[in-house]
Amino acid sequence: MRTSRILLVEDEASLALLVKEGLEGEGYLVHHGRTGEEAIQLFKRHTPDLIILDVMMPKLNGFDAAQTIRQVDKATPIIFLSAKIQAKDVVQGFKVGANDYIRKPFSMEELLMRVKVVLDGVQLVSNKQSELTTFSIGNSELRPNRLEVLVNNKEQVKLTARETELLRLLCINKEVLLTKESLLLSVWGSDSFINSRSLDVFISRLRKKLKSDEAIAIINVRGQGYKMVVNR
């Protein structure tokens, strides 16, 4: 089996060294760059299997570098690393083509797990915390037993049973990309085409019901699935 090649672009020397050593310790081949310009050059030279890209870099930032790469390559996964933690920043990251977005500071264990998930292309739904009766998300609270969400802790919004279960799974797995297949199997019990279209409709409904809470965003990662991000 061929060793996966990773392009790491990070201008903070100490962090770059830590991440590079951690990835190499797991058997990955790592090419390191320090600027957005180097990211583009190294991408063309090495055709990596995954790009880990810092956002805040001088001259050409990570978002701009990713947009340039996406003009010629739509498939190579990109993971952003950033201290920019606003929900709008995460949304922008996914809009320019990210597969994942990791907020700094982060643990090496978290990064390695996310790298594996992206390279394997599989993420199963976790049901951890399934015994909880309420879930805090952004400025809102999901109350599964009442089939409702208290938006901005003041507006009671009713949900259907399926909307409730879908939102519950997104809450439990917030900040994690969930494949459409895993959500369909968990909520509908089948990943048929008809159910896939239904999932898109239900996600649209949830977005509308949560839209007044600006701390919450449900991101669509094209061709893969959905992810709930929360502005902490």
Side-chain angles (χ1 to χ4, degrees), residues 148 191 204:
E148 69 179 22
D191 61 349
S204 179

Side-chain angles (χ1 to χ4, degrees), residues 53-55 62-63 66 78-82 93-94 96 98 100-102:
L53 193 55
D54 184 29
V55 172
F63 289 156
I78 296 175
I79 297 177
F80 280 123
L81 304 177
S82 181
F94 281 100
V96 300
D100 205 348
Y101 191 108
I102 302 178

